[in-house]
Amino acid sequence: MDIGSWLHGLGLERYEPAFRNNAIDTEVLLALTESDLEKLGVLLGHRKRMLRAIDELRITPLPAPAAAPSPADRAERRQLTVMFCDLVGSTELSSRLDPEDLREVIGAYHRAVAETVAGFDGFVAKYMGDGVLVYFGYP
């Protein structure tokens, strides 16, 4: 809130220099007392009008200042490469291996892919059976 505009709205713009010279901002304004206003040279009738207006400000909170957009809020166009890799011959392996052994083979394959992808700053998005979905340029 602009203190000068607030004072103008009350018809008390003559006190704007005193408020500015004493570094009265919105936070300080809400803490002002009648004694403070008297020290600033505000006339008695004007003090009463200001105190009523300050009380109204306390009851009706001021709108929060608009926050600057964070980097996450800003749109950004990026190049994204998507790769899906699949273990060749896994169907044949499944017919020849015990399910626990097949799970170990596929687990070793997933670990090898994840290590390789990490070496190129990639991101493993999802494991799908014997396949791996990978993103480069994300997040």
Side-chain angles (χ1 to χ4, degrees):
M1 177 183 79
D2 178 49
I3 300 296
S5 298
W6 181 76
L7 288 168
H8 282 269
L10 294 173
L12 301 173
E13 58 274 357
R14 68 193 257 181
Y15 299 109
E16 186 176 354
F19 276 58
R20 187 176 39 250
N21 293 338
N22 286 280
I24 307 294
D25 60 9
T26 307
E27 184 180 336
V28 174
L29 178 69
L30 294 174
L32 288 178
T33 64
E34 184 165 0
S35 174
D36 296 328
L37 292 173
E38 186 176 6
K39 289 176 188 171
L40 289 171
V42 179
L43 298 173
L44 177 62
H46 295 163
R47 285 196 302 266
K48 298 297 182 186
R49 186 182 309 163
M50 272 189 209
L51 288 171
R52 273 195 310 274
I54 290 170
D55 284 341
E56 287 176 20
L57 288 176
R58 286 186 190 116
I59 293 169
T60 309
L62 298 172
S70 70
D73 293 338
R74 287 188 231 133
E76 179 181 349
R77 186 175 295 230
R78 300 179 69 177
Q79 183 70 35
L80 178 69
T81 302
V82 179
M83 177 178 81
F84 182 81
C85 52
D86 189 39
L87 180 61
V88 175
S90 63
T91 305
E92 182 187 335
L93 278 174
S94 68
S95 66
R96 290 188 301 132
L97 294 176
D98 186 74
E100 288 81 15
D101 293 336
L102 180 63
R103 188 179 63 196
E104 286 179 26
V105 170
I106 291 177
Y109 167 72
H110 284 170
R111 286 188 295 280
V113 169
E115 288 174 16
T116 304
V117 166
F120 289 98
D121 294 325
F123 175 77
V124 175
K126 190 173 190 180
Y127 296 105
M128 295 180 268
D130 66 336
V132 183
L133 180 64
V134 178
Y135 300 152
F136 294 95
Y138 173 87

